[in-house]
């Protein structure tokens, strides 16, 4: 029995001394279907996780190696740093100064009726169980950490949760993480938006997000808890963020109308509209 256990352990790959799962196969058809579902409904966050899972390949290992080569990254996976708890502490976030990164994050989350738990629930729907037992706890912890960073990055980049803002934020995230899933989502959803509104500078806005992602310091190496109390603009300047000028040149109502689901009104809605 000891020999069998030893053989199993010796077959597990290590990255920076931590066990990592086998490289998953690539499923491009599954990714395509997931992106099409996401285009139909941008609130279906599960499809982002479905796409990432389907085409990540060896990217997860590369990102894990880069992450755990940093001091903060090793703390996240070993202590561990539970960012989902930090970001769920609304009493603490509300105690931070007006204009701080943490207060801006809280305002964003409350304004959009979001919670860190919500994005983790979307991952669970896609079959990614961040809370279950695993032979690769450090690897799992990194991806949980990155998942709850998504809305933090919205705040830092200045991109909203409208369809264009989500694409720009994913273009930024692609540069930061290297994940090919983000690239597929951006390419297909941008095409759909461009067909709908060819008059808007959508390609340039997404390119601006991509450029921002390349210019910003590797975001995942920074201690989030230390950044949250600081003024948002100080954090943005320190990490070399740029202003999303092209994105903001598109009026908010126009951005929000992009790829809006075309559904028939209910009878009650039609009657209320006629009465008005």
């Amino acid at each position: 029995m000891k020999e069998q256990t030893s053989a199993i352990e010796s077959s597990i790959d290590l990255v920076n001394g931590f066990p990592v799962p086998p490289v998953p196969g690539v499923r491009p058809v599954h990714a395509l279907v997931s992106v099409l579902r996401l285009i139909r409904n941008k609130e279906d966050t599960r499809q982002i996780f479905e796409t990432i899972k389907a085409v990540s390949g060896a990217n997860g290992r590369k990102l894990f190696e880069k992450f755990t080569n940093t001091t903060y990254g090793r703390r996240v996976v070993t202590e561990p740093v539970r960012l989902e708890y930090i970001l769920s502490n609304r009493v603490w976030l509300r105690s931070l100064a007006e204009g701080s990164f943490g207060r801006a994050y809280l305002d964003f989350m409350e304004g959009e009726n979001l919670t860190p738990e919500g994005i983790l629930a979307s991952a669970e729907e896609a079959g990614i169980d961040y809370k279950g037992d695993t032979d690769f706890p450090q690897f799992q912890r990194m991806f949980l950490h990155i998942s709850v960073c998504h809305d933090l990055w919205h705040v830092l980049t200045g991109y909203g949760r409208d369809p264009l803002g989500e694409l720009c934020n994913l273009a930024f995230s692609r540069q930061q993480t290297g994940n090919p899933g983000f690239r597929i989502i951006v390419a297909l959803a941008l095409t759909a938006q461009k067909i709908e509104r060819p008059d808007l500078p959508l390609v340039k806005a997404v390119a601006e997000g991509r450029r921002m992602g390349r210019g910003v310091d590797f975001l995942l190496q920074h201690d989030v808890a230390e950044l949250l109390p600081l003024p948002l603009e100080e954090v943005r300047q320190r990490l070399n963020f740029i202003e999303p000028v092209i994105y903001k040149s598109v009026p908010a109502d126009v951005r929000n109308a992009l790829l809006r689901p075309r559904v028939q009104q209910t009878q009650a809605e039609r009657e209320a509209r006629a009465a008005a």
Side-chain angles (χ1 to χ4, degrees):
M1 180 65 73
K2 288 183 179 179
E3 290 179 358
Q4 287 181 337
T5 302
S6 244
I8 292 171
E9 289 177 348
S10 64
S11 68
I12 294 177
D13 292 336
L14 300 177
V15 171
N16 286 341
F18 302 111
V20 293
V23 174
V26 176
R27 298 172 292 150
V29 174
H30 185 91
L32 176 61
V33 171
S34 296
V35 174
L36 293 176
R37 287 174 176 166
L38 183 63
I39 290 172
R40 290 182 62 189
N41 178 14
K42 79 174 184 69
E43 299 298 335
D44 189 2
T45 314
R46 167 185 174 176
Q47 302 308 325
I48 295 178
F49 291 101
E50 292 280 4
T51 305
I52 290 171
K53 271 203 326 176
V55 295
S56 63
N59 173 258
R61 288 191 178 193
K62 293 176 183 177
L63 183 57
F64 184 75
E65 180 175 15
K66 184 176 182 179
F67 185 60
T68 53
N69 272 333
T70 71
T71 301
Y72 180 63
R74 290 189 75 88
R75 279 185 52 215
V76 167
V77 303
T78 56
E79 290 188 10
V81 175
R82 300 192 181 276
L83 185 58
E84 69 277 21
Y85 294 167
I86 295 171
L87 297 180
S88 295
N89 188 348
R90 296 197 171 191
V91 173
W92 177 69
L93 291 172
R94 209 178 308 281
S95 73
L96 300 177
E98 288 282 353
S100 67
F101 179 21
R103 281 295 291 274
Y105 169 77
L106 178 63
D107 291 344
F108 177 84
M109 297 297 279
E110 290 187 335
E112 296 288 344
N113 195 28
L114 299 172
T115 64
E117 294 80 9
I119 198 164
L120 299 182
S122 296
E124 190 171 342
E125 288 176 4
I128 303 173
D129 184 5
Y130 286 130
K131 299 178 182 177
D133 293 333
T134 176
D135 292 328
F136 315 102
Q138 296 85 11
F139 195 79
Q140 181 189 66
R141 169 51 50 181
M142 180 193 74
F143 280 100
L144 189 159
H145 184 89
I146 293 173
S147 293
V148 296
C149 278
H150 175 79
D151 291 315
L152 281 172
W153 291 6
H154 267 292
V155 175
L156 286 171
T157 58
Y159 294 126
R161 292 192 68 249
D162 56 86
L164 179 58
E166 289 290 3
L167 284 196
C168 291
N169 197 37
L170 290 179
F172 171 88
S173 301
R174 155 69 179 169
Q175 296 303 312
Q176 285 284 308
T177 66
N179 193 288
F182 294 144
R183 185 176 187 178
I184 293 172
I185 294 171
V186 170
L188 294 180
L190 177 58
T191 299
Q193 290 187 18
K194 193 64 180 173
I195 290 172
E196 185 179 277
R197 291 298 306 266
D199 56 312
L200 298 178
L202 305 177
V203 175
K204 290 182 179 179
V206 170
E208 186 176 52
R210 195 178 298 121
R211 186 168 68 254
M212 190 188 304
R214 285 196 299 266
V216 167
D217 196 12
F218 181 50
L219 213 47
L220 292 168
Q221 70 178 315
H222 294 280
D223 188 324
V224 176
E226 289 184 358
L227 295 176
L228 288 170
L230 301 178
L232 175 59
E233 287 310 309
E234 178 183 325
V235 175
R236 296 186 82 250
Q237 290 175 15
R238 179 186 297 187
L239 301 180
N240 205 32
F241 278 86
I242 61 173
E243 191 68 18
V245 176
I246 300 173
Y247 164 77
K248 289 185 175 180
S249 73
V250 181
D253 60 332
V254 175
R255 298 196 306 258
N256 283 309
L258 288 167
L259 300 183
R260 181 175 292 170
R262 270 46 172 181
V263 295
Q264 288 188 331
Q265 292 177 314
T266 65
Q267 182 65 32
E269 288 171 335
R270 286 195 296 271
E271 290 175 358
R273 187 178 181 84

